[in-house]
Amino acid sequence: MELSFLGAAGTVTGSKYLISHQNHRFMLDCGLYQGIKNLRERNWKSLPVSPKDIKCLLLTHAHLDHSGYIPALVKHGFRGKIFCTHATKSLARVLLPDSGFLQEEDARYANKRHFSKHSPALPLYTEKEAWKALEYFEPVDFHDDVNFLPGFKAQFIPAGHILGASSISIDGPAGKMVFSGDLGRPNDLIMRAPEAISQADYLILESTYGDRLHESVDIPQLLADIVNSTAEQGGIVLIPAFAVGRAQALLHLIQELKNTDRIPDLPVYLNSPMAISATEIFCHYHHLHRLTPEQCHAIDQGTQYVRTVEESIDLNQRKFPSIIVSASGMASGGRVLHHLKALLSDHRNSVVFAGFQAPGTRGDSLVNGAQQIKIHGQYYPVRASIYQLDALSAHADYDEILSWLENFTAPPKHTFITHGEPLASDALRLCIKDRLNWSVSVPEYQDKVTFPM
Ligand SMILES: [Zn+2]
């Protein structure tokens, strides 16, 4: 059996693993590369095998860096089943068509402005192709035995992180292989802790925060302070948030702060059709997270949903204090860009990033003190206050990852560290080697490993 690392190796995006055994091939995750151009260009390179020859796909969760290449895979001939949890399928029905739509928009924009070196610029896939890909999704329940290929059985295990997110355990000819997926946190505001896993022969482990600890800060107090000081000077609090996951956590937190009179009763806008749909899906699957139906109802009552483009534009004309939550979370696209253009140059406003900012994104530049920022080909001066609430992240830090590893009753034969920037992955490798004395390595992009090792 052979495992190829086709993404999330040396970086946090583009999660993609190819597993081959005799004449069977399957994939685990099939994500988009995001962030710097060199990485994004990999989205246009073909896979080492024809998608036609891949029998099926197991998907850990709906985030685009894990699922966003699926429509391209189907476009190029993949016809197998795509196994994931029910909630992941519900979220993918929102995320993938939107991703196709945005790629069509980008291509249209590039053609209008002639700034692509490809003429004409083409989308990686269209909204229609994304809908086509969704026909191959095969939802399963957590803990079901999924006999996806002769000799292989998978189980989806709750990983916290976002709704529907799983670690995936695969029993096959090389023993038990566990892919952590993106690991959530033991004390997340809205998601439950990742479930303990006690045994694996081989472990593939994420390392987004492999070199960092989330500050133990009072997040509600921090957010309350930012909202209160911004409102006092008549400014607007803009929160770029990941439409799936952090947007719901933030809306819940804001309602709690209002209900306990820790912030004034400002209008709260959720300006992202995708985040609105994700919030509805989140409330639908109330058995999969920490919030009660009443708390979900409070989000719904206390938030003004901004659906149309006209309403979105209108929001930028308003001058009174308010809170705007909008996607995308790293300000790499979406409606939040229009708000940044309107709000960044006024010192009264605040911009609050909640979660990991990948290198090369506008979010990363802003939290690192950029004086100006380029949006839609133009530079905008940064005078607003910029904050990063890292502690709101949906990813475990290295202490939390190590605690999760302590559930293993015996060390895996080998652990592969993926899904991290090089420094983060290597720091986690060292930590696991020194503290646990496990056999561990950091594979590189396109590395192949043959099992048994
Ligand atoms: Zn994720």
Side-chain angles (χ1 to χ4, degrees):
M1 194 168 109
E2 195 178 76
L3 167 65
S4 307
F5 297 87
L6 301 180
T11 176
V12 289
T13 68
S15 270
K16 248 183 238 94
Y17 304 92
L18 178 69
I19 296 138
S20 311
H21 176 62
Q22 294 166 349
N23 57 348
H24 294 309
R25 287 195 183 85
F26 66 95
M27 283 184 82
L28 191 131
D29 283 351
C30 191
L32 268 188
Y33 280 103
Q34 296 163 320
I36 60 171
K37 195 170 173 208
N38 278 358
L39 287 176
R40 280 184 284 124
E41 282 176 348
R42 285 192 196 160
N43 291 327
W44 294 91
K45 297 213 171 95
S46 36
L47 296 177
V49 296
S50 164
K52 291 189 187 90
D53 297 329
I54 298 169
K55 295 258 167 67
C56 67
L57 166 67
L58 308 173
L59 176 61
T60 59
H61 67 291
H63 275 154
L64 287 180
D65 60 321
H66 294 256
S67 72
Y69 191 79
I70 290 174
L73 194 75
V74 173
K75 178 180 179 173
H76 294 114
F78 173 85
R79 292 294 176 267
K81 285 180 177 166
I82 300 167
F83 295 99
C84 63
T85 63
H86 289 273
T88 295
K89 181 177 179 184
S90 297
L91 291 172
R93 284 174 59 83
V94 176
L95 284 164
L96 293 181
D98 182 76
S99 170
F101 173 78
L102 286 180
Q103 294 190 48
E104 288 180 79
E105 286 281 277
D106 285 350
R108 264 195 291 274
Y109 194 72
N111 287 327
K112 207 164 104 190
R113 301 285 172 102
H114 304 288
F115 66 50
S116 170
K117 59 180 182 209
H118 306 285
S119 184
L122 296 171
L124 190 59
Y125 52 84
T126 62
E127 182 181 350
K128 197 172 163 203
E129 284 161 343
W131 281 113
K132 174 86 198 148
L134 284 158
E135 293 172 15
Y136 295 89
F137 276 57
E138 187 79 16
V140 299
D141 284 321
F142 282 117
H143 304 295
D144 272 358
D145 283 337
V146 183
N147 296 299
F148 61 96
L149 277 178
F152 286 94
K153 186 176 78 182
Q155 230 185 58
F156 291 69
I157 298 156
H161 184 55
I162 64 161
L163 197 73
S166 329
S167 301
I168 298 180
S169 163
I170 299 172
D171 287 300
K176 192 187 280 293
M177 200 174 258
V178 169
F179 292 79
S180 72
D182 286 4
L183 281 178
R185 310 187 51 199
N187 299 306
D188 190 79
L189 273 178
I190 57 170
M191 293 308 300
R192 298 204 187 105
E195 203 170 292
I197 294 178
S198 61
Q199 195 253 320
D201 292 297
Y202 300 100
L203 173 64
I204 294 85
L205 178 65
E206 75 122 321
S207 59
T208 314
Y209 281 92
D211 57 348
R212 271 177 285 178
L213 294 176
H214 298 305
E215 290 172 80
S216 60
V217 292
D218 183 346
I219 301 171
Q221 191 54 48
L222 262 180
L223 185 62
D225 290 345
I226 296 168
V227 171
N228 286 323
S229 64
T230 309
E232 263 165 38
Q233 48 192 15
I236 291 171
V237 179
L238 173 64
I239 311 181
F242 300 94
V244 176
R246 291 308 87 180
Q248 289 74 46
L250 282 156
L251 293 174
H252 167 62
L253 184 54
I254 291 164
Q255 288 315 312
E256 295 282 298
L257 291 175
K258 276 193 183 188
N259 290 342
T260 49
D261 294 322
R262 294 170 74 183
I263 59 171
D265 190 17
L266 306 177
V268 180
Y269 302 98
L270 178 59
N271 184 13
S272 155
M274 200 202 307
I276 295 170
S277 303
T279 306
E280 286 162 357
I281 293 168
F282 183 82
C283 291
H284 173 78
Y285 287 96
H286 53 83
H287 57 293
L288 293 182
H289 56 73
R290 291 188 199 270
L291 300 196
T292 62
E294 291 71 31
Q295 287 171 316
C296 285
H297 184 69
I299 292 178
D300 199 44
Q301 291 300 299
T303 308
Q304 301 187 39
Y305 294 146
V306 181
R307 295 176 197 270
T308 67
V309 173
E310 291 71 28
E311 288 171 317
S312 175
I313 293 168
D314 185 46
L315 203 52
N316 271 336
Q317 315 302 325
R318 301 182 195 196
K319 297 295 175 209
F320 50 79
S322 59
I323 302 172
I324 302 174
V325 179
S326 186
S328 71
M330 303 189 209
S332 45
R335 288 186 179 178
V336 78
L337 294 184
H338 298 282
H339 293 310
L340 285 170
K341 282 158 78 170
L343 300 175
L344 267 181
S345 59
D346 188 333
H347 71 278
R348 290 174 302 173
N349 299 325
S350 298
V351 183
V352 184
F353 288 92
F356 187 78
Q357 303 299 314
T361 58
R362 291 187 190 87
D364 182 55
S365 303
L366 284 167
V367 299
N368 283 305
Q371 301 286 309
Q372 53 174 6
I373 210 86
K374 193 176 178 186
I375 304 173
H376 300 145
Q378 262 194 49
Y379 283 94
Y380 294 83
V382 181
R383 298 195 192 96
S385 303
I386 309 292
Y387 301 91
Q388 187 177 23
L389 287 187
D390 214 29
L392 249 180
S393 167
H395 283 273
D397 65 20
Y398 70 79
D399 256 356
E400 293 166 341
I401 292 174
L402 285 168
S403 302
W404 185 75
L405 294 180
E406 279 165 10
N407 296 310
F408 285 80
T409 50
K413 289 175 188 152
H414 193 76
T415 296
F416 301 93
I417 309 283
T418 60
H419 200 290
E421 294 305 317
L423 287 175
S425 296
D426 201 54
L428 186 62
R429 178 191 65 78
L430 258 179
C431 224
I432 291 175
K433 186 169 155 281
D434 290 347
R435 287 208 215 166
L436 303 175
N437 200 22
W438 288 11
S439 162
V440 56
S441 64
V442 181
E444 286 178 23
Y445 176 52
Q446 292 182 322
D447 271 2
K448 275 185 198 170
V449 182
T450 305
F451 298 94
M453 285 172 77

